[in-house]
Coordinates of all heavy atoms in Angstrom, one line a residue:
M14 N 25.0 139.1 -117.0 CA 25.4 138.6 -118.4 C 24.2 138.1 -119.1 O 23.3 137.5 -118.6 CB 26.4 137.5 -118.2 CG 26.7 136.7 -119.4 SD 27.8 135.3 -119.1 CE 27.6 134.4 -120.7
M15 N 24.1 138.5 -120.4 CA 23.0 138.1 -121.2 C 23.3 136.6 -121.6 O 24.3 136.3 -122.2 CB 22.8 138.9 -122.4 CG 22.4 140.4 -122.1 SD 20.8 140.6 -121.5 CE 19.9 140.4 -123.0
G16 N 22.3 135.8 -121.3 CA 22.6 134.4 -121.7 C 21.3 133.7 -122.1 O 20.2 134.4 -122.2
H17 N 21.4 132.4 -122.3 CA 20.2 131.7 -122.6 C 19.2 131.6 -121.4 O 19.7 131.5 -120.3 CB 20.6 130.3 -123.1 CG 21.2 130.3 -124.5 ND1 20.4 130.6 -125.6 CD2 22.4 129.9 -124.9 CE1 21.2 130.5 -126.6 NE2 22.4 130.1 -126.2
D18 N 18.0 131.6 -121.7 CA 17.0 131.2 -120.7 C 16.9 129.7 -120.6 O 16.6 129.0 -121.6 CB 15.6 131.8 -121.1 CG 15.3 133.0 -120.3 OD1 16.0 133.3 -119.3 OD2 14.2 133.6 -120.6
Y19 N 17.3 129.2 -119.4 CA 17.1 127.7 -119.2 C 15.6 127.4 -118.9 O 15.1 128.1 -118.0 CB 18.1 127.2 -118.2 CG 19.4 127.0 -118.7 CD1 20.2 128.0 -119.2 CD2 19.9 125.7 -118.8 CE1 21.5 127.8 -119.7 CE2 21.2 125.4 -119.4 CZ 21.9 126.5 -119.8 OH 23.2 126.2 -120.3
R20 N 15.1 126.4 -119.6 CA 13.7 126.1 -119.3 C 13.6 124.6 -119.1 O 14.4 123.9 -119.6 CB 12.8 126.5 -120.5 CG 12.7 128.0 -120.7 CD 12.0 128.4 -121.9 NE 12.1 129.8 -122.1 CZ 11.3 130.7 -121.5 NH1 10.3 130.3 -120.7 NH2 11.4 132.0 -121.8
N21 N 12.6 124.2 -118.4 CA 12.4 122.8 -118.1 C 11.7 122.1 -119.3 O 10.5 122.5 -119.6 CB 11.5 122.6 -116.8 CG 12.4 122.3 -115.6 OD1 13.0 123.2 -115.1 ND2 12.5 121.0 -115.3
C22 N 12.3 121.2 -119.8 CA 11.8 120.4 -120.9 C 10.6 119.5 -120.4 O 10.8 118.8 -119.4 CB 12.9 119.5 -121.6 SG 12.3 118.4 -122.8
I23 N 9.5 119.5 -121.1 CA 8.4 118.7 -120.6 C 8.6 117.2 -120.9 O 7.9 116.4 -120.3 CB 7.0 119.2 -121.2 CG1 7.0 119.1 -122.7 CG2 6.7 120.5 -120.7 CD1 6.0 118.3 -123.3
V24 N 9.5 116.9 -121.7 CA 9.6 115.4 -122.1 C 10.7 114.8 -121.2 O 10.4 113.8 -120.6 CB 10.1 115.3 -123.6 CG1 10.3 113.8 -124.0 CG2 9.0 115.9 -124.5
C25 N 11.9 115.4 -121.1 CA 13.0 114.8 -120.3 C 13.1 115.4 -119.0 O 13.7 114.9 -118.1 CB 14.3 114.8 -121.1 SG 14.9 116.5 -121.3
G26 N 12.6 116.6 -118.7 CA 12.6 117.2 -117.5 C 13.9 118.0 -117.2 O 14.0 118.6 -116.1
Q27 N 14.8 118.0 -118.1 CA 16.1 118.7 -117.9 C 15.8 120.1 -118.3 O 15.0 120.6 -119.0 CB 17.1 118.1 -118.9 CG 17.4 116.6 -118.7 CD 18.1 116.4 -117.4 OE1 19.1 117.0 -117.0 NE2 17.5 115.5 -116.6
E28 N 16.7 120.9 -117.6 CA 16.7 122.4 -117.9 C 17.7 122.6 -119.1 O 18.9 122.3 -119.0 CB 17.2 123.2 -116.8 CG 16.2 123.2 -115.7 CD 16.5 124.3 -114.7 OE1 17.5 124.9 -114.7 OE2 15.6 124.5 -113.8
E29 N 17.2 123.1 -120.2 CA 18.0 123.3 -121.4 C 17.8 124.7 -122.0 O 16.6 125.3 -121.8 CB 17.5 122.3 -122.5 CG 17.7 120.8 -122.1 CD 19.2 120.3 -122.1 OE1 20.0 121.0 -122.7 OE2 19.4 119.3 -121.5
P30 N 18.8 125.2 -122.6 CA 18.8 126.5 -123.1 C 18.0 126.7 -124.5 O 17.5 127.7 -124.9 CB 20.2 127.0 -123.2 CG 21.0 125.8 -123.4 CD 20.2 124.7 -122.8
E31 N 18.1 125.5 -125.3 CA 17.6 125.6 -126.6 C 16.5 124.5 -126.8 O 16.6 123.4 -126.3 CB 18.8 125.3 -127.6 CG 19.7 126.5 -127.7 CD 20.8 126.2 -128.7 OE1 20.4 125.9 -129.9 OE2 22.0 126.2 -128.4
G32 N 15.5 124.9 -127.6 CA 14.4 124.0 -127.9 C 13.3 124.7 -128.6 O 13.4 125.8 -129.1
I33 N 12.2 124.0 -128.6 CA 11.0 124.6 -129.2 C 9.8 124.7 -128.2 O 9.9 124.0 -127.3 CB 10.6 123.7 -130.4 CG1 10.3 122.3 -130.0 CG2 11.6 123.8 -131.6 CD1 9.5 121.5 -131.1
F34 N 8.9 125.6 -128.6 CA 7.7 125.6 -127.7 C 6.5 125.0 -128.5 O 6.3 125.2 -129.7 CB 7.3 127.1 -127.4 CG 8.2 127.6 -126.3 CD1 9.4 128.3 -126.7 CD2 7.8 127.5 -125.0 CE1 10.3 128.7 -125.7 CE2 8.6 127.9 -124.0 CZ 9.9 128.6 -124.3
I35 N 5.8 124.1 -127.7 CA 4.6 123.6 -128.3 C 3.5 124.0 -127.3 O 3.5 123.7 -126.2 CB 4.6 122.0 -128.4 CG1 5.8 121.6 -129.3 CG2 3.3 121.5 -128.8 CD1 6.1 120.1 -129.3
F36 N 2.6 124.8 -127.8 CA 1.7 125.6 -127.0 C 2.6 126.4 -126.0 O 3.4 127.1 -126.5 CB 0.7 124.7 -126.2 CG -0.2 123.9 -127.1 CD1 0.0 122.5 -127.3 CD2 -1.2 124.5 -127.9 CE1 -0.8 121.7 -128.1 CE2 -1.9 123.7 -128.8 CZ -1.7 122.4 -128.9
D37 N 2.4 126.3 -124.7 CA 3.2 127.0 -123.8 C 4.3 126.2 -123.2 O 5.0 126.6 -122.3 CB 2.4 127.6 -122.7 CG 1.6 128.8 -123.1 OD1 2.0 129.5 -124.1 OD2 0.5 129.0 -122.5
S38 N 4.5 124.9 -123.7 CA 5.4 124.0 -123.2 C 6.7 123.9 -123.9 O 6.7 124.0 -125.2 CB 4.7 122.6 -123.0 OG 3.6 122.7 -122.2
F39 N 7.7 123.7 -123.2 CA 9.1 123.7 -123.8 C 9.6 122.3 -124.0 O 9.4 121.5 -123.2 CB 10.0 124.5 -122.9 CG 11.4 124.4 -123.4 CD1 11.9 125.3 -124.4 CD2 12.4 123.6 -122.7 CE1 13.2 125.3 -124.8 CE2 13.8 123.6 -123.2 CZ 14.1 124.4 -124.2
V40 N 10.1 122.1 -125.2 CA 10.7 120.8 -125.6 C 12.1 121.1 -126.0 O 12.3 121.9 -126.9 CB 9.9 120.0 -126.7 CG1 10.7 118.8 -127.1 CG2 8.5 119.7 -126.2
C41 N 13.1 120.5 -125.3 CA 14.5 120.8 -125.6 C 14.9 120.3 -127.0 O 14.3 119.5 -127.5 CB 15.4 120.3 -124.4 SG 15.7 118.5 -124.5
R42 N 16.0 120.8 -127.4 CA 16.6 120.5 -128.7 C 16.8 119.0 -128.8 O 16.5 118.4 -129.8 CB 17.9 121.3 -128.9 CG 18.6 121.0 -130.2 CD 17.9 121.5 -131.4 NE 17.8 122.9 -131.4 CZ 18.7 123.8 -131.8 NH1 19.9 123.4 -132.2 NH2 18.4 125.1 -131.8
H43 N 17.3 118.4 -127.7 CA 17.6 117.0 -127.8 C 16.3 116.2 -128.0 O 16.3 115.3 -128.8 CB 18.3 116.6 -126.4 CG 18.5 115.1 -126.3 ND1 19.5 114.5 -127.0 CD2 17.9 114.2 -125.6 CE1 19.5 113.2 -126.7 NE2 18.5 112.9 -125.9
C44 N 15.3 116.5 -127.3 CA 14.1 115.7 -127.3 C 13.4 116.0 -128.7 O 12.7 115.1 -129.3 CB 13.1 116.1 -126.2 SG 13.7 115.5 -124.6
E45 N 13.5 117.2 -129.2 CA 12.9 117.6 -130.5 C 13.6 116.7 -131.5 O 12.9 116.1 -132.4 CB 13.2 119.0 -130.8 CG 12.6 119.5 -132.1 CD 13.2 120.8 -132.6 OE1 14.1 121.3 -131.9 OE2 12.9 121.2 -133.7
T46 N 14.9 116.6 -131.4 CA 15.7 115.7 -132.4 C 15.2 114.3 -132.3 O 15.0 113.5 -133.3 CB 17.2 115.9 -132.2 OG1 17.5 117.3 -132.2 CG2 18.0 115.1 -133.2
E47 N 15.1 113.8 -131.1 CA 14.6 112.4 -130.8 C 13.3 112.2 -131.4 O 13.0 111.1 -132.0 CB 14.6 112.2 -129.2 CG 15.9 112.0 -128.6 CD 16.6 110.7 -129.0 OE1 16.0 109.7 -128.9 OE2 17.8 110.8 -129.3
M48 N 12.4 113.1 -131.2 CA 11.0 113.0 -131.7 C 11.0 112.9 -133.2 O 10.3 112.1 -133.8 CB 10.2 114.2 -131.2 CG 9.6 114.0 -129.9 SD 9.2 115.6 -129.1 CE 9.2 116.8 -130.3
I49 N 11.8 113.7 -133.9 CA 11.9 113.7 -135.3 C 12.4 112.3 -135.9 O 11.9 111.8 -136.8 CB 12.7 114.9 -135.8 CG1 12.0 116.2 -135.5 CG2 13.0 114.7 -137.3 CD1 12.9 117.4 -135.6
K50 N 13.4 111.8 -135.3 CA 14.0 110.6 -135.8 C 13.4 109.3 -135.2 O 13.6 108.3 -135.7 CB 15.5 110.6 -135.5 CG 15.9 110.4 -134.1 CD 17.4 110.4 -133.9 CE 17.9 110.1 -132.5 NZ 19.3 110.2 -132.3
T51 N 12.5 109.5 -134.2 CA 12.0 108.3 -133.6 C 10.9 107.7 -134.5 O 10.0 108.4 -134.9 CB 11.4 108.6 -132.2 OG1 12.4 109.1 -131.4 CG2 10.7 107.4 -131.5
D52 N 10.9 106.4 -134.6 CA 9.9 105.7 -135.4 C 8.6 105.7 -134.6 O 8.6 105.7 -133.4 CB 10.4 104.2 -135.6 CG 9.4 103.5 -136.5 OD1 8.4 103.1 -136.1 OD2 9.7 103.5 -137.8
T53 N 7.5 105.9 -135.3 CA 6.2 106.0 -134.6 C 5.9 104.8 -133.8 O 5.0 104.9 -132.9 CB 5.1 106.3 -135.7 OG1 5.1 105.2 -136.6 CG2 5.3 107.6 -136.3
A54 N 6.4 103.6 -134.1 CA 6.1 102.4 -133.3 C 6.8 102.4 -132.0 O 6.5 101.6 -131.1 CB 6.4 101.2 -134.1
E55 N 7.8 103.2 -131.7 CA 8.6 103.1 -130.6 C 7.9 103.8 -129.4 O 7.1 104.7 -129.5 CB 10.0 103.8 -130.9 CG 10.8 103.0 -131.8 CD 12.2 103.7 -132.0 OE1 12.7 104.3 -131.0 OE2 12.8 103.5 -133.0
D56 N 8.4 103.3 -128.2 CA 7.8 103.8 -127.0 C 8.0 105.2 -126.7 O 7.1 105.9 -126.2 CB 8.5 103.0 -125.8 CG 8.0 101.5 -125.8 OD1 7.1 101.2 -126.4 OD2 8.7 100.8 -125.0
K57 N 9.1 105.8 -127.2 CA 9.4 107.2 -127.0 C 8.4 108.0 -127.6 O 7.9 109.1 -127.1 CB 10.8 107.6 -127.5 CG 11.9 107.5 -126.5 CD 13.2 107.9 -127.2 CE 14.4 107.5 -126.3 NZ 15.6 107.7 -127.1
Y58 N 7.9 107.6 -128.8 CA 6.9 108.3 -129.5 C 5.6 108.4 -128.7 O 5.0 109.3 -128.5 CB 6.7 107.8 -130.9 CG 5.7 108.6 -131.7 CD1 6.1 109.7 -132.3 CD2 4.4 108.1 -131.8 CE1 5.2 110.4 -133.0 CE2 3.5 108.8 -132.6 CZ 3.9 110.0 -133.2 OH 3.0 110.6 -133.9
M59 N 5.3 107.2 -128.2 CA 4.0 107.0 -127.4 C 4.1 107.9 -126.1 O 3.1 108.5 -125.7 CB 3.8 105.5 -127.0 CG 3.5 104.7 -128.2 SD 2.3 105.2 -129.3 CE 0.8 105.2 -128.2
F60 N 5.3 108.0 -125.6 CA 5.5 108.8 -124.4 C 5.3 110.2 -124.8 O 4.7 111.0 -124.0 CB 6.9 108.5 -123.8 CG 7.3 109.5 -122.7 CD1 6.7 109.2 -121.4 CD2 8.2 110.5 -122.8 CE1 7.0 110.1 -120.4 CE2 8.5 111.3 -121.8 CZ 7.9 111.1 -120.5
F61 N 5.8 110.6 -125.9 CA 5.7 112.0 -126.3 C 4.2 112.3 -126.6 O 3.7 113.4 -126.1 CB 6.5 112.2 -127.6 CG 6.2 113.6 -128.2 CD1 6.7 114.7 -127.6 CD2 5.6 113.7 -129.4 CE1 6.5 115.9 -128.1 CE2 5.4 114.9 -130.0 CZ 5.8 116.1 -129.3
I62 N 3.5 111.4 -127.2 CA 2.1 111.7 -127.4 C 1.3 111.8 -126.1 O 0.5 112.7 -126.0 CB 1.4 110.5 -128.3 CG1 2.1 110.4 -129.6 CG2 0.0 110.6 -128.3 CD1 1.8 111.5 -130.5
K63 N 1.7 111.0 -125.1 CA 1.1 111.1 -123.8 C 1.3 112.5 -123.2 O 0.5 113.1 -122.7 CB 1.6 110.1 -122.9 CG 0.6 109.5 -121.9 CD 1.1 108.3 -121.2 CE 2.0 108.6 -120.1 NZ 2.5 107.3 -119.4
Q64 N 2.6 113.0 -123.3 CA 3.0 114.3 -122.8 C 2.1 115.4 -123.5 O 1.7 116.3 -123.0 CB 4.4 114.5 -123.0 CG 5.3 113.6 -122.3 CD 5.2 113.8 -120.8 OE1 4.3 113.3 -120.1 NE2 6.2 114.5 -120.2
M65 N 2.0 115.2 -124.8 CA 1.4 116.2 -125.6 C -0.2 116.3 -125.3 O -0.8 117.3 -125.2 CB 1.4 115.9 -127.2 CG 2.8 116.1 -127.7 SD 3.3 117.9 -127.7 CE 4.5 117.8 -126.3
R66 N -0.7 115.1 -125.0 CA -2.1 115.0 -124.6 C -2.3 115.7 -123.3 O -3.3 116.4 -123.1 CB -2.6 113.6 -124.5 CG -4.1 113.4 -124.3 CD -4.4 112.0 -124.3 NE -4.3 111.3 -125.6 CZ -4.2 110.1 -125.8 NH1 -4.3 109.2 -124.8 NH2 -4.1 109.6 -127.1
Q67 N -1.4 115.6 -122.4 CA -1.5 116.3 -121.1 C -1.4 117.7 -121.3 O -2.2 118.5 -120.6 CB -0.3 115.8 -120.2 CG -0.6 114.5 -119.5 CD 0.7 114.1 -118.7 OE1 1.6 114.7 -118.5 NE2 0.6 112.8 -118.2
I68 N -0.6 118.2 -122.2 CA -0.6 119.6 -122.5 C -1.9 120.1 -123.1 O -2.5 121.1 -122.7 CB 0.6 120.0 -123.5 CG1 1.9 119.7 -122.9 CG2 0.4 121.4 -124.0 CD1 3.0 119.6 -123.8
W69 N -2.3 119.3 -124.0 CA -3.6 119.6 -124.7 C -4.8 119.7 -123.6 O -5.6 120.6 -123.7 CB -3.9 118.6 -125.7 CG -5.1 119.0 -126.6 CD1 -5.0 119.7 -127.7 CD2 -6.5 118.5 -126.5 NE1 -6.3 119.8 -128.2 CE2 -7.2 119.2 -127.5 CE3 -7.1 117.8 -125.5 CZ2 -8.6 119.1 -127.7 CZ3 -8.5 117.7 -125.6 CH2 -9.2 118.2 -126.7
L70 N -4.8 118.7 -122.7 CA -5.8 118.7 -121.7 C -5.7 120.0 -120.8 O -6.7 120.6 -120.5 CB -5.7 117.5 -120.9 CG -6.2 116.2 -121.6 CD1 -5.9 115.0 -120.7 CD2 -7.7 116.2 -121.9
K71 N -4.5 120.4 -120.5 CA -4.3 121.5 -119.7 C -4.8 122.8 -120.4 O -5.4 123.7 -119.8 CB -2.8 121.7 -119.4 CG -2.4 121.3 -118.0 CD -0.9 121.6 -117.7 CE -0.1 120.4 -117.8 NZ 1.4 120.7 -117.7
Q72 N -4.4 122.8 -121.8 CA -4.9 124.0 -122.5 C -6.4 124.1 -122.6 O -6.9 125.2 -122.8 CB -4.3 123.9 -124.0 CG -2.8 123.9 -124.1 CD -2.3 125.3 -123.8 OE1 -2.8 126.3 -124.2 NE2 -1.2 125.4 -123.1
N73 N -7.1 123.0 -122.5 CA -8.5 123.0 -122.7 C -9.3 122.8 -121.4 O -10.5 122.6 -121.4 CB -8.9 121.9 -123.8 CG -8.5 122.3 -125.1 OD1 -9.1 123.0 -125.8 ND2 -7.3 121.8 -125.5
A74 N -8.6 122.9 -120.3 CA -9.2 122.6 -119.1 C -10.2 123.8 -118.7 O -9.9 124.9 -119.1 CB -8.1 122.5 -117.9
Ligands
ZN9 ZN1 14.1 117.2 -123.3

């Protein structure tokens, strides 16, 4: 059966069918929505930045 590809979200670690790719890393729809609505002062945003930095470091290793 043709279906969604489930991928591991780099933010929450869940396997989700829908989301976006940042570099080669997958961020699920839920986390993408969270990121958009999250205030920059909140911990979630800082966590996301940390994750993004890890990806960036991997890309430039
Ligand atoms: Zn997620």
Side-chain angles (χ1 to χ4, degrees):
M14 171 182 166
M15 297 290 286
H17 284 295
D18 255 353
Y19 276 69
R20 296 174 185 279
N21 259 80
C22 170
I23 58 122
V24 180
C25 67
Q27 298 293 309
E28 287 194 355
E29 299 286 344
E31 290 184 54
I33 57 166
F34 282 91
I35 300 172
F36 300 109
D37 287 332
S38 298
F39 177 76
V40 176
C41 75
R42 178 69 60 83
H43 176 74
C44 291
E45 181 197 0
T46 307
E47 285 291 312
M48 279 160 9
I49 292 165
K50 74 179 182 187
T51 299
D52 190 275
T53 54
E55 288 185 31
D56 289 346
K57 269 184 195 168
Y58 183 79
M59 295 309 295
F60 176 73
F61 174 68
I62 295 297
K63 215 168 82 179
Q64 298 290 82
M65 288 297 103
R66 186 175 295 161
Q67 278 173 11
I68 294 163
W69 189 85
L70 288 172
K71 257 188 259 173
Q72 294 289 320
N73 290 277

